Amino acid sequence: MPLSGSGETPAAQPLPVSFPPPAGTPPARRRRPSGRRPAPVDAPAHDDSPDDPSLVPADATGRDRQLVFFGAETGEPSVADLAGLLAGPGEVHRMGGTARLSVVVAAAWRVHVLVTELAQRGVRSNWAPTEDQRYAVRTAYTRTIVPLAAAWLHGPTQHPPPNFQLDGRRLRLWLAAAGVADPPDFLLHLGGDDPARWAAVGAALATAGLAGELVATGPGGPAYRIAGRHRTRRLAELVGERPPASPPSAWPSRV
């Protein structure tokens, strides 16, 4: 199944350049105002749909949004953020002195978002269709992921390290891989089959202000339900702006 590309940003128009008049030219006579309003200038078309959370104020008063402490927009992306994928359905594997992270996703737009997010962290990746009509996104085997593997792998078992925390950048990756809207709630799907692993992730969600209900069965497997508009808005504040590849209805809104 081919993946569609993203749109291009229109090129900026050159600014008009004015030159001074030649020497000896009499100054231009100032025209009296006619009392008429200037004609409106056409601006480039812009999608101001309320489905785009980047165009909606933080609250009904119309005040400008503020960066949320620990939100995805408050720091530089790093390889440590990939722990968000491991909180969900991501898996990490070691080979010699290198490691690789992989995650299977259900929609093409998730591939676009994850490949872009990984590239922002200097991690090369590729993708391939699976037999069940999903997509496997994999990083290359690299030394940069070894600390992540060392923290999460305990023999054959994958488990969050002690005092594991979820910030906005980690949540953004988890949401991009396995977040599903179920209005007014949001589901964050998990991986593995270890209840202790799920409990540790749930504790990290609660610490981030996103206490969720564990839904152990249902389409897509186990998930934490982030219930209600208040917590969904908190999730939206933490994960930041909707990626261009994501459908508006698939990303949480700040309103």
Side-chain angles (χ1 to χ4, degrees):
M1 177 177 178
L3 299 177
S4 59
S6 59
E8 296 181 352
T9 303
Q13 298 296 323
L15 295 175
V17 179
S18 59
F19 296 93
T25 302
R29 300 176 64 182
R30 299 183 62 183
R31 301 177 61 183
R32 294 183 179 181
S34 63
R36 294 179 298 178
R37 294 183 179 179
V41 178
D42 291 335
H46 189 78
D47 181 10
D48 57 357
S49 167
D51 286 335
D52 186 348
S54 67
L55 303 172
V56 180
D59 53 34
T61 64
R63 291 176 297 183
D64 291 335
R65 286 195 309 269
Q66 309 238 342
L67 293 179
V68 178
F69 196 51
F70 292 135
E73 300 159 342
T74 59
E76 292 297 324
S78 72
V79 175
D81 302 338
L82 304 190
L85 293 174
L86 301 181
E91 301 289 340
V92 65
H93 307 275
R94 299 191 68 166
M95 184 176 70
T98 65
R100 181 179 76 178
L101 190 148
S102 62
V103 61
V104 176
V105 300
W109 71 264
R110 299 183 189 275
V111 178
H112 282 287
V113 176
L114 290 178
V115 169
T116 300
E117 293 281 347
L118 290 167
Q120 289 175 356
R121 291 157 175 83
V123 178
R124 294 172 55 193
S125 63
N126 55 53
W127 66 273
T130 64
E131 293 182 354
D132 58 355
Q133 298 183 343
R134 295 190 295 170
Y135 307 92
V137 179
R138 306 184 184 94
T139 73
Y141 277 101
T142 173
R143 291 187 179 92
T144 60
I145 299 180
V146 169
L148 201 63
W152 280 76
L153 289 179
H154 308 275
T157 304
Q158 181 173 301
H159 192 275
N163 302 318
F164 172 63
Q165 295 183 349
L166 285 166
D167 58 16
R169 295 186 301 279
R170 292 178 177 184
L171 282 164
R172 182 179 180 87
L173 290 173
W174 183 5
L175 179 68
V180 176
D182 187 19
D185 305 341
F186 236 88
L187 295 173
L188 295 173
H189 284 281
L190 298 157
D193 55 6
D194 181 8
R197 170 179 169 181
W198 302 340
V201 172
L205 277 172
T207 301
L210 294 170
E213 173 193 0
L214 179 60
V215 182
T217 59
Y224 273 105
R225 179 180 294 277
I226 309 302
R229 298 188 184 279
H230 175 74
R231 287 198 177 98
T232 300
R233 188 162 54 247
R234 167 68 176 168
L235 176 63
E237 291 172 345
L238 285 169
V239 299
E241 300 293 342
R242 174 175 62 89
S246 169
S249 60
W251 202 259
S253 171
R254 288 182 166 103
V255 296

